[in-house]
Amino acid sequence: MQQFFHHLFHILLLLVFLIGILSLKKSSIFFKLIFFQVVYTCLTTVVAILYKKYQIDHGMVVNNMWLGNINLFIELSIIFYAFRIYLKESWIKKSVTIAYLIFVSVYALTGWQQGFWVILNYADLTSCFLMTLILVYAYFIVSQEKNISIWKSPEKLAIMGMLIYFAGSIPFIAMWDYLITNSPKVLALLYVGINYTIAYIRYIFVGIAFWLIYKNAKKQIISS
């Protein structure tokens, strides 16, 4: 079952990537950064698959945790930067910078204490909490600026998709240490049930946002 959801996620990522290419020329800097994050996730997914195959073929213990930790840092760096550009007020730009520095500090500290061969769940939890706050504010701002349905607003869709993902990840990551020690089977079940579901929602919303950008740009060309 986990393999099925895994492959389905890969297909979804590929579709979002392809739709993102269509919308790239007409995208704002914010959406270009979001697309870059999608591209990066696609590349690291391929690397993770190839590295796992290499480990299995050579009789090694499969451990991609270090790759996940690198991915966490780079992916969050891109997203923090995207929202620092997107949000206009100087105080919120500074707040996003401070939030990013807090994340980097927790990431470095937990990496130094635990090593990078285990999941840095405290850094992950910190990033999810901080991004949730930023995304709630960003959605509030875009709702004031654009009084239209979420299904007609690329910004609302992308922000809501990420908000569902980061906010939804908090309870799961908070329970990580307890579950991995006391109930690894429940952890594996929750990983499939929660992590994949909110990841699907995130990238489906981002994919629709890319499609709306492309569709709106095409309408403008036809009308002109």
Side-chain angles (χ1 to χ4, degrees), residues 17-201:
F17 168 73
L18 294 174
I19 297 170
I21 290 175
L22 292 175
S23 67
L24 193 58
K25 285 185 179 180
K26 298 298 180 180
S27 294
S28 63
I29 297 175
F30 171 73
F31 274 106
K32 285 177 180 176
L33 285 167
I34 298 301
F35 175 73
F36 179 61
Q37 180 266 311
V38 171
V39 172
Y40 175 76
T41 302
C42 290
L43 291 174
T44 54
T45 300
V46 172
V47 171
I49 292 170
L50 294 176
Y51 184 60
K52 182 178 180 180
K53 185 178 184 304
Y54 174 83
Q55 289 174 311
I56 293 171
D57 290 345
H58 289 78
M60 301 166 64
V61 176
V62 176
N63 184 356
N64 285 349
M65 302 298 184
W66 64 273
L67 188 60
N69 291 329
I70 293 172
N71 183 50
L72 172 68
F73 181 80
I74 297 177
E75 178 186 356
L76 265 296
S77 296
I78 296 168
I79 295 173
F80 271 111
Y81 183 60
F83 279 95
R84 194 182 185 283
I85 289 176
Y86 179 74
L87 296 167
K88 305 303 181 185
E89 300 94 336
S90 60
W91 72 268
I92 192 63
K93 286 181 180 290
K94 291 177 182 177
S95 299
V96 172
T97 301
I98 292 169
Y100 176 67
L101 292 175
I102 292 171
F103 160 68
V104 171
S105 300
V106 175
Y107 181 91
L109 183 62
T110 53
W112 178 67
Q113 289 181 333
Q114 301 176 8
F116 288 91
W117 297 96
V118 296
I119 290 179
L120 302 180
N121 55 310
Y122 291 114
D124 201 357
L125 183 62
T126 301
S127 70
C128 288
F129 178 74
L130 294 171
M131 280 308 310
T132 297
L133 296 178
I134 292 168
L135 288 160
V136 167
Y137 180 78
Y139 193 82
F140 171 74
I141 292 299
V142 76
S143 295
Q144 287 189 321
E145 292 176 350
K146 301 190 178 187
N147 189 23
I148 56 175
S149 166
I150 186 173
W151 304 109
K152 295 181 180 180
S153 170
E155 292 85 358
K156 283 185 178 181
L157 277 166
I159 292 169
M160 180 56 72
M162 287 186 279
L163 177 57
I164 291 170
Y165 177 80
F166 285 108
S169 296
I170 292 173
F172 174 67
I173 299 171
M175 295 187 295
W176 183 276
D177 278 348
Y178 174 81
L179 290 175
I180 201 169
T181 303
N182 297 283
S183 189
K185 289 185 179 179
V186 173
L187 178 63
L189 183 64
L190 289 175
Y191 185 82
V192 174
I194 296 176
N195 191 65
Y196 277 116
T197 300
I198 56 179
Y200 291 152
I201 294 171

